[in-house]
Amino acid sequence: QVQLVESGGGLVQPGGSLRLSCVLSGSIFNIAHMGWYRQAPGKQRELVALIRTIGVRNYVDSVKGRFTISRDNAKNTLYLQMNSLKPDDTAVYYCKARVNEMDYWGKGTLVTVSS
């Protein structure tokens, strides 16, 4: 089994920054790609950022230039650096990883952007 645990969420003022972390543990033989998703109240879950094994990164248009996804393979950890946060970024952020040809999700961490 594989477990994903997110951390780093919280309350931040507009224009502020947060860094989310997602630690993978368990029987990990291969990680194909990892990503961050978010779900705002009353909305569908959406892909925010994705990073592939070869290092290619993709972002949803609304976060380009503000968010940066990265991974530390030695620590099996995924990060999301979020800068210039806006109230529209308020959501539960989930980590997802394709590990051993199966998809795993974390339980999420809440990010609230408000003054």
Side-chain angles (χ1 to χ4, degrees):
Q1 271 289 30
V2 175
Q3 296 80 40
L4 280 66
V5 179
E6 303 98 333
S7 62
L11 173 63
V12 63
Q13 292 187 342
S17 298
L18 282 175
R19 188 175 83 153
L20 305 183
S21 299
C22 172
V23 178
L24 282 69
S25 62
S27 301
I28 299 170
F29 301 104
N30 172 266
I31 301 176
H33 53 77
M34 303 175 68
W36 289 97
Y37 292 70
R38 68 185 179 187
Q39 187 165 18
K43 295 187 177 181
Q44 289 188 334
R45 191 173 297 187
E46 65 170 349
L47 174 64
V48 176
L50 186 73
I51 184 166
R52 305 182 190 276
T53 303
I54 58 174
V56 175
R57 296 167 172 82
N58 300 100
Y59 299 92
V60 67
D61 286 346
S62 60
V63 308
K64 286 181 180 177
R66 299 189 298 122
F67 290 11
T68 302
I69 189 170
S70 61
R71 60 191 286 182
D72 185 329
N73 292 328
K75 296 181 179 179
N76 283 337
T77 301
L78 180 70
Y79 302 100
L80 185 67
Q81 178 67 43
M82 305 186 295
N83 300 327
S84 303
L85 282 161
K86 305 175 181 180
D88 284 350
D89 296 318
T90 295
V92 178
Y93 284 72
Y94 298 90
C95 173
K96 177 187 173 184
R98 186 154 185 88
V99 181
N100 307 336
E101 299 184 359
M102 292 184 63
D103 288 331
Y104 293 90
W105 290 87
K107 293 184 178 181
T109 184
L110 177 62
V111 172
T112 303
V113 184
S114 175
S115 55

